[in-house]
Amino acid sequence: MPTLEGLQEAGLEKIPDLSIAQMRFELTLPGDTAKELKIDQAEVKRQLLDKVKAGFMTEVYRDVSSELKMEMNNSVIEEMESKNKEELDKLTEAIENAEKNEGESEVREAMVKKCEYLTVIGNKEEALKMLKQTLEKTNTTGHKLDLHFHLIRLGFFFNDNKIITTNLDKAKELIEMGGDWDRRNRLKVYCGLYSMSVRNFKRSCHKISWTLYQPLHHMTDGLYDIH
């Protein structure tokens, strides 16, 4: 799995925080491999748990606790769940208010905010449901592409290749219908990153424009030799 933090350096969105996925990956490495790559797994674990707790990422905390065979702190879970409920209630209220008092654009914007929050806290299933509902309310090609890009990032976050490939295919179809230069380049980055993640380096090089090669090369530095 390539280093994912570099997605932000390529000018892409920061939701979800893909550095968390990278840390989880680093903690799965055998000790000898981690040492060879100069990865301090104890420090990575500390940073990971700090990020998960700070982001009130309830489901991710449960998953990480299981992966690391670590006992969950019930008080931490309760605090996270309380914060999640509080924020989700506000976001649901904003959608309902927009549906009653504003136009389709405002409704869609309120729905996108709820998608983003569900993604930030790592609630995969609810995020997928909300993104599907938001896509149904979205008419413009550009906004649809943005939602498929969001789904691709969600796939990377959870290492779910089905989500990634399904939405790469849908994004490619939409690009042919009129995607702008910026979104076309973003799609190249996602295609290149996916190809690298499955070790198809030759294909990844064909997908990446020269303006995007440097950030993607940086992302894989130290984990894969792509010369």
Side-chain angles (χ1 to χ4, degrees), residues 105-122:
S105 177
E106 289 79 10
V107 171
R108 196 195 72 83
E109 288 174 9
M111 294 177 77
V112 167
K113 287 180 180 178
K114 187 170 182 179
C115 291
E116 290 176 344
Y117 184 72
L118 287 165
T119 302
V120 166
I121 64 175

Side-chain angles (χ1 to χ4, degrees), residues 89-108:
D89 285 349
K90 289 178 184 177
L91 291 164
T92 299
E93 184 179 342
I95 293 170
E96 292 171 351
N97 180 64
E99 288 173 337
K100 291 177 183 177
N101 304 307
E102 301 183 68
E104 290 183 3
S105 177
E106 289 79 10
V107 171
R108 196 195 72 83

Side-chain angles (χ1 to χ4, degrees), residues 29-64:
L29 296 172
D32 289 345
T33 303
K35 287 179 182 178
E36 184 180 344
L37 295 172
K38 298 181 180 179
I39 295 170
D40 183 342
Q41 289 182 308
E43 178 60 16
V44 170
K45 178 180 176 180
R46 184 193 67 77
Q47 291 180 11
L48 172 60
L49 290 174
D50 284 349
K51 280 200 169 196
V52 168
K53 291 175 183 177
F56 298 96
M57 303 176 71
T58 311
E59 298 307 318
V60 177
Y61 180 67
R62 287 193 174 102
D63 291 343
V64 168

Side-chain angles (χ1 to χ4, degrees), residues 3-104:
T3 308
L4 295 171
E5 301 99 308
L7 275 172
Q8 279 76 254
E9 294 183 26
L12 304 180
E13 297 294 333
K14 297 182 181 181
I15 297 173
D17 183 352
L18 295 175
S19 69
I20 290 174
Q22 180 64 26
M23 291 178 189
R24 291 174 71 174
F25 168 70
E26 289 174 356
L27 291 174
T28 68
L29 296 172
D32 289 345
T33 303
K35 287 179 182 178
E36 184 180 344
L37 295 172
K38 298 181 180 179
I39 295 170
D40 183 342
Q41 289 182 308
E43 178 60 16
V44 170
K45 178 180 176 180
R46 184 193 67 77
Q47 291 180 11
L48 172 60
L49 290 174
D50 284 349
K51 280 200 169 196
V52 168
K53 291 175 183 177
F56 298 96
M57 303 176 71
T58 311
E59 298 307 318
V60 177
Y61 180 67
R62 287 193 174 102
D63 291 343
V64 168
S65 296
S66 176
E67 290 166 5
L68 301 180
K69 296 179 173 56
M70 180 185 73
E71 186 176 351
M72 286 188 292
N73 185 321
N74 288 332
S75 64
V76 170
I77 288 285
E78 289 172 6
E79 181 184 7
M80 287 180 172
E81 289 179 335
S82 175
K83 180 66 173 178
N84 293 165
K85 184 179 185 305
E86 177 186 345
E87 292 300 320
L88 287 168
D89 285 349
K90 289 178 184 177
L91 291 164
T92 299
E93 184 179 342
I95 293 170
E96 292 171 351
N97 180 64
E99 288 173 337
K100 291 177 183 177
N101 304 307
E102 301 183 68
E104 290 183 3

